Amino acid sequence: MTTSRLQIGLVASLLVNALMIGAFGGGLAVLSHRGGWHRPPHRHPGPIQTAGHALKPADRARFRAAMLAVIRDNRDLIRDARLRRQQAGALFVRPDFDRAAIAALLARARRDRAELLAKLDNAALRFAATLPPGERRKLARGLAEHGELQRRGGRFAPPPGGNFAPPPPQGGNSVAPKG
């Protein structure tokens, strides 16, 4: 091996080592800034936690605990729904596109999600029954702004005065006559 090739190899080795040391040092800096190897704390609460934001602190903590208990008790349901969506996604890219299998997986994932939402709704109802009317109004407003009512279009959101109007009639002509 010639001296020039040895020098080129040594310089290349030094550059690679410098890059590796920089990457390692950068990783350590990020970890020390975050406080360790764990994931950073969830900084943005989900719609369930946000729905009770206007409640008094004690009620807010009880509401959050009730919703998280439902989520914790249904982790298997959540995991299964996520797994079904992932399986459906994997079937999308296969050469033998099986529409029926994909549709069945997605339908089951939707049923799992609907079951979880029903359990969350029931827990919210049980919790709301323990609140005085003023706090129930705050919770209703929070659900309309951040929760399922908002995702459904906010049809039952309280108006600025805080009183709920009855839901629109089902079926028939929903357009008011002009007068």
Side-chain angles (χ1 to χ4, degrees), residues 26-121:
L28 286 178
V30 167
L31 287 175
S32 68
H33 177 70
R34 272 193 352 194
W37 294 96
H38 66 282
R39 287 183 1 189
H42 188 64
R43 297 188 196 289
H44 303 289
I48 291 295
Q49 291 88 356
T50 306
H53 75 284
L55 296 173
K56 291 186 284 188
D59 290 335
R60 185 179 326 133
R62 285 187 323 119
F63 178 72
R64 185 173 189 275
M67 298 298 105
L68 290 177
V70 171
I71 292 169
R72 183 180 55 248
D73 293 344
N74 290 282
R75 281 187 179 149
D76 290 342
L77 185 67
I78 295 167
R79 186 195 66 240
D80 290 347
R82 184 178 301 129
L83 180 62
R84 286 183 179 97
R85 286 190 303 273
Q86 289 171 350
Q87 290 170 340
L91 290 179
F92 261 87
V93 296
R94 291 187 57 180
D96 55 331
F97 188 78
D98 188 350
R99 187 177 192 280
I102 295 169
L105 285 167
L106 293 175
R108 181 59 200 185
R110 277 192 308 276
R111 284 193 303 269
D112 289 346
R113 183 173 189 275
E115 182 180 338
L116 176 66
L117 290 176
K119 289 178 179 184
L120 287 168
D121 287 346

Side-chain angles (χ1 to χ4, degrees), residues 101-161:
I102 295 169
L105 285 167
L106 293 175
R108 181 59 200 185
R110 277 192 308 276
R111 284 193 303 269
D112 289 346
R113 183 173 189 275
E115 182 180 338
L116 176 66
L117 290 176
K119 289 178 179 184
L120 287 168
D121 287 346
N122 288 331
L125 285 171
R126 284 191 303 274
F127 179 81
T130 68
L131 295 173
E135 290 297 296
R136 276 198 314 267
R137 197 171 296 111
K138 290 177 187 177
L139 182 59
R141 192 170 297 117
L143 287 170
E145 291 172 4
H146 304 286
E148 273 304 300
L149 291 178
Q150 186 270 335
R151 285 193 292 270
R152 293 177 188 156
R155 281 192 300 193
F156 302 110

